[in-house]
Amino acid sequence: MRAEQDEASALLDGLDIDTLLKALTRRRGYEAALRDPPGRRGWSDVSPASINFLQLDQRIDQLARLLAANKGQPGASVAILAPLGPEAVVSVLASLRAGLSPLMLPLHGNELELLRLIEASGAVMALGVSRVGPLRPLLMLRNLAMRAFSTRFVGGFGPDVPDGVAPLDTLLANASLHPLPGPVERPWLQVADAVSLQGPQRISEREILGKALEISRALKPMTSSRIVSTLVGGDLAALASGPGMAMLTGVELLPLGLFHLGDLQACIEGGRSVHLVLPGNMEPALAHSRLAGHPALASLVFVQRTGSQLSYPAIDRPDLAIVDIAVHSASDITVIRRQTPTG
């Protein structure tokens, strides 16, 4: 075990997500990095699309320049209210590139809970999406910014941006006019507990990539495969099993956002091997469904949150790699290899 830890430490020395993305952009720039689920338009009004590594790097650069134009102090906090899809991934990585600390807000929090997190972090900017099903995150962010003394800029992705919120999809086209800050120390990321909403707690990119390395070693994903994540929040478990593992391995990430079983079925079709990330309490439903036997499934990751117990019936697929992520808090997880494929 000690030898594995030392090897992992050596692999991660000097590594951050930006460095990984730059390498992927050079080697595989036109391959898909992020893909929307087929049913996205129904819950967000945004037509499904895919983003290759070149486009992802460009969008991150544009948003980082736009954030830098607001002259936040190095390490200042940026609150993000969006499911863990393309907009959230771009917002997190753009904040880091601009030398700012991203705070992922839980979508299911009420205004008082989100206000407490924003004020505790001292967020000077807030970013969000226009619609997630019945939720209107940008309206909530605008209301919160009026009450939080520190928040001076609110930007929104999507077609329905309310008055008082900067339309990011339009502004990004001219963002190249703004300079990026010089080399700065990589800031912390901030997360809140998905169950208690306690936080914010700080995590580093190294922690995300370290846990992503543990997961990927258990799953051994091929670059031709796909990670399908049903996780909406942005704590360490979600960041490591989704964006972290995707950047570390170069595997396409398909974050579902809101979905129904038909969407999940569509995401698994298409000829790619799929590494499926699910909340632990969904294992019985998967075990009862036809998807449990789908030949495209290469592995399963179950996120077991605090207070939950392993649910039954469990998946019975000896040919699958199965990993459980035990969530102790938003910033503390343990990766457990439950099953190694046989045969």
Side-chain angles (χ1 to χ4, degrees):
M1 177 64 74
R2 181 64 189 174
E4 285 188 8
Q5 290 173 341
D6 290 343
E7 183 188 355
S9 180
L11 284 171
L12 297 173
D13 278 346
L15 199 61
D16 58 45
I17 298 174
D18 238 4
T19 304
L20 289 169
L21 178 57
K22 294 293 185 185
L24 288 167
T25 301
R26 287 193 300 272
R27 298 198 318 265
R28 298 168 48 210
Y30 292 101
E31 295 180 35
L34 296 172
R35 188 179 299 275
D36 281 320
R40 168 154 189 185
R41 185 172 185 85
W43 56 263
S44 73
D45 301 324
V46 174
S47 295
S50 65
I51 304 172
N52 63 36
F53 289 108
L54 277 169
Q55 292 167 328
L56 178 60
D57 185 60
Q58 181 183 43
R59 292 190 192 190
I60 290 167
D61 190 75
Q62 290 172 330
L63 183 55
R65 290 173 182 275
L66 194 60
L67 296 178
N70 284 278
K71 297 182 171 55
Q73 293 295 314
S77 178
V78 179
I80 300 165
L81 190 60
L84 194 58
E87 292 86 357
V89 172
V90 167
S91 296
V92 167
L93 299 187
S95 299
L96 293 172
R97 190 175 290 186
L100 304 169
S101 175
L103 163 65
M104 286 294 293
L105 295 170
L107 270 172
H108 57 283
N110 62 38
E111 284 201 18
L112 286 177
E113 291 165 328
L114 297 184
L115 181 62
R116 183 190 61 77
L117 289 169
I118 287 175
E119 290 187 330
S121 73
V124 298
M125 303 174 217
L127 307 173
V129 293
S130 57
R131 183 167 81 89
V132 184
L135 303 177
R136 298 295 186 272
L138 289 181
L139 289 174
M140 184 177 287
L141 280 180
R142 186 182 65 179
N143 294 341
L144 293 173
M146 294 172 65
R147 299 166 67 183
F149 176 76
S150 58
T151 308
R152 60 174 185 262
F153 173 84
V154 180
F157 296 95
D160 186 18
V161 177
D163 292 340
V165 177
L168 293 178
D169 294 330
T170 302
L171 294 176
L172 290 181
N174 298 315
S176 58
L177 301 174
H178 306 297
L180 271 174
V184 292
E185 183 178 347
R186 300 290 285 189
W188 294 90
L189 293 89
Q190 300 176 74
V191 292
D193 190 274
V195 178
S196 68
L197 283 92
Q198 292 301 303
Q201 300 173 26
R202 300 196 305 177
I203 57 175
S204 66
E205 289 175 89
R206 187 186 180 93
E207 289 175 277
I208 293 172
L209 294 176
K211 293 301 180 182
L213 182 60
E214 288 185 52
I215 300 166
S216 62
R217 279 179 161 173
L219 306 185
K220 298 179 173 58
M222 305 286 288
T223 54
S224 59
S225 59
R226 167 184 292 167
I227 300 166
V228 176
S229 177
T230 65
L231 304 184
V232 177
D235 60 1
L236 177 57
L239 291 169
S241 61
M245 189 165 67
M247 289 297 161
L248 192 65
T249 61
V251 173
E252 175 188 297
L253 175 63
L254 200 161
L256 275 174
L258 296 187
F259 74 100
H260 52 74
L261 198 57
D263 262 358
L264 183 55
Q265 173 84 41
C267 294
I268 292 176
E269 301 293 347
R272 289 180 180 242
S273 295
V274 170
H275 306 277
L276 180 59
V277 184
L278 291 164
N281 58 14
M282 289 184 65
E283 183 169 1
L286 181 64
H288 277 301
S289 75
R290 292 180 181 177
L291 288 180
H294 201 291
L297 286 180
S299 68
L300 294 167
V301 177
F302 292 110
V303 177
Q304 314 288 353
R305 300 204 177 274
T306 304
S308 66
Q309 297 180 339
L310 286 176
S311 303
Y312 293 95
I315 293 291
D316 184 17
R317 286 279 302 271
D319 59 317
L320 296 185
I322 301 179
V323 166
D324 290 297
I325 298 177
V327 179
H328 312 298
S329 74
S331 59
D332 181 17
I333 63 174
T334 302
V335 177
I336 305 160
R337 188 183 315 199
R338 184 199 303 183
Q339 180 175 292
T340 303
T342 58

